[in-house]
Amino acid sequence: AQSVAQPEDQVNVAEGNPLTVKCTYSVSGNPYLFWYVQYPNRGLQFLLKYITGDNLVKGSYGFEAEFNKSQTSFHLKKPSALVSDSALYFCAVRDPLYNDYKLSFGAGTTVTVRA
Amino acid sequence: GAGVSQSPSNKVTEKGKDVELRCDPISGHTALYWYRQSLGQGLEFLIYFQGNSAPDKSGLPSDRFSAERTGGSVSTLTIQRTQQEDSAVYLCASSPRAGGGHEQYFGPGTRLTVT
């Protein structure tokens, strides 16, 4: 089985401050991990992924995420948040040992960046 | 290049009517996925196509839901005898193929409202 949890429904930060969105996962093997962002009335946009290799992954719009196997986490980070980063963020996982395609998504975290 | 497109963007229908939702994946992508996004339910996997075949229909919530994909490209999701609980945003995604570390690319979604 595979699952992912986003423990925070909402994250509020001031513009220019660091932004962290938390994600923990559960899989039997080594995970494939993804972050997506959704702006109002839009589909999901891919931000970054971890498949293998370096634990620190860099993605679009200045976002990065760190894979931590011992803590089964894949937190999304941005050093300096912008008002335009306000959106709904989803973490997703796939266990490649057990399926080739089905992603399991977290419930989402709403990020609000105040000016 | 062109992304995943979906039509209509919004659909309001009366309870008991049938609806068809269309998805046009990215050209060359052989894998196609349908998800449902509703309040309180997050993102639910509905069905996956590889080429024209649908290896996994496990996420379809009832036999009122069906989907097909013709020519390995466009897909339609049909909901018969719609119910109010079918109200949601239906998202389509595609990827170059299943397996590997490919991310899924999402369309803007169709917002279905059943009155």
Side-chain angles (χ1 to χ4, degrees), chain B residues 92-106:
Chain B
C92 176
S94 71
S95 64
R97 59 176 175 85
H102 297 293
E103 61 269 25
Q104 297 176 16
Y105 296 85
F106 284 79

Side-chain angles (χ1 to χ4, degrees), chain B residues 13-91:
Chain B
T13 190
E14 292 180 354
K15 177 181 173 181
K17 301 282 190 183
D18 298 352
V19 295
E20 281 191 355
L21 312 180
R22 176 188 168 108
C23 171
D24 206 334
I26 293 172
S27 178
H29 282 193
T30 62
L32 186 146
Y33 318 80
W34 283 98
Y35 294 87
R36 180 167 70 175
Q37 184 177 22
S38 50
L39 285 175
Q41 297 293 326
L43 274 155
E44 301 172 76
F45 168 83
L46 296 178
I47 189 168
Y48 152 70
F49 287 91
Q50 178 58 48
N52 284 343
S53 64
D56 187 351
K57 303 179 181 180
S58 64
L60 294 178
S62 77
D63 58 8
R64 296 185 296 104
F65 287 71
S66 63
E68 64 177 16
R69 188 180 186 193
T70 53
S73 181
V74 172
S75 175
T76 54
L77 177 69
T78 301
I79 309 173
Q80 296 179 308
R81 306 181 302 281
T82 52
Q83 304 294 313
Q84 288 186 331
E85 61 263 29
D86 299 334
S87 296
V89 176
Y90 290 83
L91 293 167

Side-chain angles (χ1 to χ4, degrees), chain A residues 32 34 36 38 40-46 48-49 51 88 90 94 96 99-107, chain B residues 33 35 37 42-43 45 48 55-56 58-59 89 91 97-109 111:
Chain A
Y32 288 178
F34 304 82
Y36 287 85
Q38 186 177 34
N41 301 313
R42 303 280 294 275
L44 276 66
Q45 294 180 32
F46 169 74
L48 50 78
K49 65 183 178 183
I51 304 302
L88 180 58
F90 289 98
R94 180 165 74 80
N99 89 87
D100 283 339
Y101 55 88
K102 188 183 295 187
L103 292 178
S104 295
F105 286 85
Chain B
Y33 318 80
Y35 294 87
Q37 184 177 22
L43 274 155
F45 168 83
Y48 152 70
D56 187 351
S58 64
V89 176
L91 293 167
R97 59 176 175 85
H102 297 293
E103 61 269 25
Q104 297 176 16
Y105 296 85
F106 284 79
R111 181 176 297 276

